Amino acid sequence: MSKVRISGGGRCNVMHDVTKPLPQILSSYPRGNKELRGLYTKRFTPDDAYDWFTSRGVELKTESDGRMFPVTDNSQTIIDTITHAAIKAGVEVRTKSKIQSVEWIDSDDNNNHDNGNFAINVSSRSATAAKEESKEYFDALILATGSFPIGHEIARSLGHKVIKPVPSLFTFDTKELVREGGTFHGLAGLSVQTARLTLTVSDEMKPPSADDLTEQPTSNDEASKPKKKKRKKKAPAITQEGPLLITHHGISGPATLRLSAFAAREFHAVKYNCEVKLHFCPKFEEQQRRLGSTGGGEDILMDALWEMTRLIPKRRVATGCPLFMTESIEENDDTSTNETPNAPIIPKRLWAALVSHSSISPDLVWGDASKAMIRSLANNLALFPLKTNGFSSFKEEFVTAGGIFLKEVQLTNMESKIRPGLFMAGEVLDVDGVTGGFNFMGCWSTGFVAGGSAAEFCSIVNSPEEI
């Protein structure tokens, strides 16, 4: 329950707005969005999760960004509800016990005992602090160990492939930009309502195949076989939009977190040292296109900025951003907030920094600006080069991309396709979502289905054989 306790700053972001269309909810899962569709429509839907909590007395509220919390703003509410439900269902909770390993026992090697096919080696400490070891047998086993290594080790020991976990949901460190003399120095706390981040995937970033990603030992014979060279395909750029926040270390905010999640493996492949292109005003570009402007983003911005040399020739370029939204653009997803009409798109101090970065004097007026100067400014607004040199965890969030290979799991009941009676749920699987309650939604759904399926499996195994 440790993640539940600290989620949402101790308030527990229990799920996401269940009134949103399912395709929109699924789009917030970089990995597992296709596989979760069946669970979210037929087995345990977001509405089912909402009803599960509210029917047990938990009143939930939805905030403007779609995150849902208990009205108590206390994660203990969720912990108590789950704990009481487990006790009522007869779940035995053991403390001071640790699973060391799990063995699979074939029916033919079961020595005629009917104790189950899973032999679990447990170490525990008694009241006298003496360490005791025991072996217990079970018909079914549910792996719900999150991203802890023990769950993946057990899965591998039972024959499953595990996609190597790498960090997801992180903020970007940009030392060159935030240090003294850098473009973002002294701007921590400033934000842009909607920005666009684009990572162009280079050859060294391209993720290997699923077999190459799995932490599965290979035999000497397999290792000696020459690998066939696969024809490389051009990978598209990965783009995300949303609010962007400048921090003391670099950038954060929904746009950053979404890109970190959807490009988790690409960032990991280059050890988080790469270049991301930052567009400070994509919604203004879209607005201008609707008004008839054509060309690339920098061309549209170039035309808009060059118009300022005629409209406000005596005003200093560095005074403030002259670009405004003339209409409110409402979004149907969580990638951005609504743009405020008739308000500068870029904060004043950030604008001044971008003007300086474009080698434009702080005293230069629009009427004296050359086309080369305006072009440089337009390029920095649409294609600002942001060099990352590391990452930081986002608040209390610690999410990984990776886990048990989904093609080896029957998603209708969360049972292993390799070991009958083995079930999986939650972040132990290669499923993860962006911040906002999506990861817990995945846990509630897969956990409910896995638990029910395991109970049904045991019922069938232990039912009297018909004569």
Side-chain angles (χ1 to χ4, degrees), residues 208-254:
S209 65
D211 288 335
D212 293 331
L213 286 171
T214 52
E215 298 177 314
Q216 183 83 347
T218 57
S219 66
N220 292 331
D221 291 338
E222 290 176 333
S224 62
K225 290 180 181 178
K227 292 185 178 180
K228 293 182 180 180
K229 290 185 178 180
K230 294 183 179 180
R231 193 172 183 178
K232 294 181 178 180
K233 295 181 180 180
K234 184 179 180 181
I238 302 173
T239 300
Q240 292 295 326
E241 287 188 11
L244 181 135
L245 173 69
I246 297 175
T247 70
H248 290 289
H249 302 284
I251 61 170
S252 182

Side-chain angles (χ1 to χ4, degrees), residues 129-449:
K131 187 176 181 179
E132 300 176 354
E133 294 188 0
S134 61
K135 179 174 289 190
E136 302 180 35
Y137 297 86
F138 296 90
D139 293 317
L141 173 67
I142 301 176
L143 288 180
T145 52
S147 56
F148 287 101
I150 182 63
H152 295 152
E153 291 171 8
I154 292 172
R156 281 194 296 272
S157 71
L158 295 174
H160 274 273
K161 292 179 180 178
V162 176
I163 306 295
K164 184 179 180 180
V166 300
S168 181
L169 282 186
F170 49 83
T171 62
F172 300 159
D173 293 344
T174 59
K175 290 182 180 179
E176 291 184 7
L177 290 174
V178 298
R179 69 185 181 186
E180 189 172 356
T183 305
F184 291 168
H185 179 69
L187 301 181
L190 292 183
S191 62
V192 177
Q193 278 190 307
T194 307
R196 178 187 297 152
L197 293 170
T198 301
L199 175 68
T200 300
V201 181
S202 62
D203 287 342
E204 58 184 336
M205 290 181 183
K206 291 178 182 177
S209 65
D211 288 335
D212 293 331
L213 286 171
T214 52
E215 298 177 314
Q216 183 83 347
T218 57
S219 66
N220 292 331
D221 291 338
E222 290 176 333
S224 62
K225 290 180 181 178
K227 292 185 178 180
K228 293 182 180 180
K229 290 185 178 180
K230 294 183 179 180
R231 193 172 183 178
K232 294 181 178 180
K233 295 181 180 180
K234 184 179 180 181
I238 302 173
T239 300
Q240 292 295 326
E241 287 188 11
L244 181 135
L245 173 69
I246 297 175
T247 70
H248 290 289
H249 302 284
I251 61 170
S252 182
T256 306
L257 295 173
R258 288 184 67 91
L259 185 64
S260 76
F262 280 88
R265 294 205 171 279
E266 286 78 4
F267 280 113
H268 182 264
V270 292
K271 299 180 180 179
Y272 309 94
N273 288 280
C274 57
E275 183 174 279
V276 174
K277 294 295 185 182
L278 169 56
H279 194 322
F280 285 98
C281 40
K283 295 305 178 187
F284 177 82
E285 177 189 325
E286 293 177 12
Q287 171 185 272
Q288 296 305 102
R289 288 188 190 280
R290 286 194 297 275
L291 296 175
S293 297
T294 59
E298 63 273 24
D299 294 324
I300 290 176
L301 292 175
M302 171 68 187
D303 293 341
L305 293 173
W306 185 249
E307 183 68 7
M308 299 303 140
T309 63
R310 182 183 65 84
L311 295 176
I312 47 175
K314 295 184 178 181
R315 179 180 171 182
R316 288 188 298 120
V317 178
T319 297
C321 177
L323 306 179
F324 295 80
M325 296 297 297
T326 58
E327 57 189 48
S328 178
I329 299 179
E330 295 185 358
E331 293 297 318
N332 293 320
D333 56 28
D334 305 307
T335 59
S336 68
T337 56
N338 294 343
E339 291 282 2
T340 304
N342 302 317
I345 294 173
I346 299 173
K348 189 173 182 178
R349 286 195 296 135
L350 175 57
W351 174 264
L354 292 172
V355 169
S356 177
H357 184 82
S358 303
S359 300
I360 297 176
S361 168
D363 297 321
L364 184 76
V365 295
W366 283 101
D368 293 335
S370 67
K371 280 198 172 183
M373 292 176 179
I374 300 301
R375 171 67 67 182
S376 176
L377 179 57
N379 285 344
N380 282 319
L381 290 177
L383 298 168
F384 186 84
L386 193 149
K387 293 183 178 179
T388 66
N389 60 312
F391 73 96
S392 301
S393 297
F394 176 65
K395 296 182 180 179
E396 76 283 347
E397 300 278 1
F398 182 74
V399 177
T400 57
I404 296 173
F405 195 34
L406 292 179
K407 288 186 178 181
E408 297 177 347
V409 182
Q410 182 62 47
L411 273 298
T412 56
N413 62 358
M414 304 311 299
E415 186 177 13
S416 164
K417 294 180 181 179
I418 297 173
R419 300 294 184 195
L422 174 62
F423 299 84
M424 298 91 158
E427 293 180 16
V428 72
L429 296 160
D430 185 26
V431 174
D432 62 285
V434 299
T435 186
F438 298 99
N439 286 296
F440 275 155
M441 284 178 74
C443 291
W444 310 143
S445 183
T446 56
F448 185 90
V449 173

Side-chain angles (χ1 to χ4, degrees), residues 27-47:
S27 69
S28 293
Y29 291 89
R31 286 149 291 275
N33 55 75
K34 292 180 181 178
E35 291 81 1
L36 287 175
R37 178 177 294 276
L39 288 175
Y40 280 9
T41 55
K42 299 177 181 178
R43 301 306 307 274
F44 195 73
T45 69
D47 284 328

